[in-house]
Amino acid sequence: GDSVTQMEGPVTLSEEAFLTINCTYTATGYPSLFWYVQYPGEGLQLLLKATKADDKGSNKGFEATYRKETTSFHLEKGSVQVSDSAVYFCALSDRGGSNYKLTFGKGTLLTVNP
Amino acid sequence: EAGVTQFPSHSVIEKGQTVTLRCDPISGHDNLYWYRRVMGKEIKFLLHFVKESKQDESGMPNNRFLAERTGGTYSTLKVQPAELEDSGVYFCASSQEVIGELFFGEGSRLTVL
């Protein structure tokens, strides 16, 4: 079956540091890939997505590129802020472009210190 | 516009008791999903409603779980009788179309003692 593996953390960084959260996946079809973020006391929110190979999703300074050859979708940000402290989830959907039946990773807790 | 709301935010019950979780999706969203995150594990799909119909309930763990969506509006997820392994956070999400942004609620934390 489909699966997503992401670095579990927790990850602790200082403000303005570079962030990478690794995510690799296994899928039988041609999945769409997502990063969701959960800020304290809130629901999960879509951060960015990519629906085909070599697509780059970007939002709020975060980026991730769909790498089919390495089955990866690593999340990066050049300079993190305290407000980026949250749990980040990598996810895939095996129904192209849809939200249907998402498969999630375990989540990575990020703490950014001032 | 109100987001996806879930109630209760936290429920503590004893093994063998019954709990009902409620989800109010965003108004007009035909698609409603339930997911569950058991401690230390991935968020797992439970089921998908389109309006009042169950489109896919392949993720429901067993027959102790019953989900309904009356009139295609709010949804309930009942666990009866609850077991220790049912503890976790239950998330509800909704979307207008299957292809489109998915909006999650804050989750209902269930603790079974």
Side-chain angles (χ1 to χ4, degrees):
Chain A
D2 297 343
S3 67
V4 173
T5 303
Q6 64 179 104
M7 57 188 285
E8 292 187 25
V11 174
T12 302
L13 296 173
S14 297
E15 209 165 20
E16 299 183 3
F18 183 84
L19 169 71
T20 299
I21 301 177
N22 289 336
C23 172
T24 57
Y25 67 89
T26 302
T28 51
Y30 199 143
S32 295
L33 303 174
F34 306 82
W35 276 99
Y36 279 84
V37 59
Q38 186 178 23
Y39 298 103
E42 299 184 16
L44 278 77
Q45 303 173 22
L46 178 65
L47 181 59
L48 52 85
K49 70 176 184 181
T51 58
K52 61 183 188 295
D54 300 325
D55 265 3
K56 179 186 283 188
S58 61
N59 186 23
K60 299 182 180 180
F62 291 89
E63 292 183 340
T65 300
Y66 190 141
R67 300 287 188 201
K68 195 166 188 292
E69 64 277 12
T70 54
T71 62
S72 65
F73 193 54
H74 305 322
L75 182 68
E76 296 182 337
K77 186 174 185 181
S79 176
V80 294
Q81 305 300 311
V82 172
S83 57
D84 294 326
S85 298
V87 182
Y88 293 81
F89 295 91
C90 185
L92 70 81
S93 169
D94 64 4
R95 304 282 178 97
S98 83
N99 299 311
Y100 179 73
K101 209 167 180 178
L102 295 174
T103 299
F104 285 89
K106 290 185 177 181
T108 302
L109 173 62
L110 170 67
T111 301
V112 181
N113 295 318
Chain B
E1 179 183 295
V4 176
T5 57
Q6 294 187 243
F7 182 84
S9 56
H10 191 190
S11 181
V12 181
I13 62 172
E14 294 192 350
K15 176 182 170 180
Q17 291 186 319
T18 298
V19 64
T20 300
L21 310 177
R22 173 171 169 145
C23 169
D24 286 76
I26 293 173
S27 177
H29 281 194
D30 288 341
N31 294 275
L32 186 149
Y33 307 81
W34 283 98
Y35 285 83
R36 176 175 76 166
R37 186 184 189 196
V38 172
M39 180 70 74
K41 299 204 172 175
E42 299 86 349
I43 300 172
K44 294 279 196 185
F45 168 84
L46 295 179
L47 85 161
H48 171 207
F49 283 99
V50 178
K51 297 185 180 178
E52 68 275 8
S53 299
K54 291 176 186 173
Q55 188 76 12
D56 184 340
E57 54 183 329
S58 61
M60 295 288 264
N62 51 62
N63 60 9
R64 295 185 293 103
F65 289 75
L66 174 65
E68 295 179 323
R69 190 179 183 192
T70 307
T73 55
Y74 70 91
S75 174
T76 58
L77 180 65
K78 180 190 285 189
V79 185
Q80 178 182 30
E83 298 289 345
L84 298 178
E85 65 264 25
D86 300 332
S87 296
V89 180
Y90 291 77
F91 292 100
C92 176
S94 73
S95 66
Q96 194 160 26
E97 304 288 339
V98 175
I99 296 178
E101 187 165 357
L102 192 60
F103 295 86
F104 280 82
E106 293 180 29
S108 290
R109 181 176 295 277
L110 173 63
T111 302
V112 183
L113 304 176

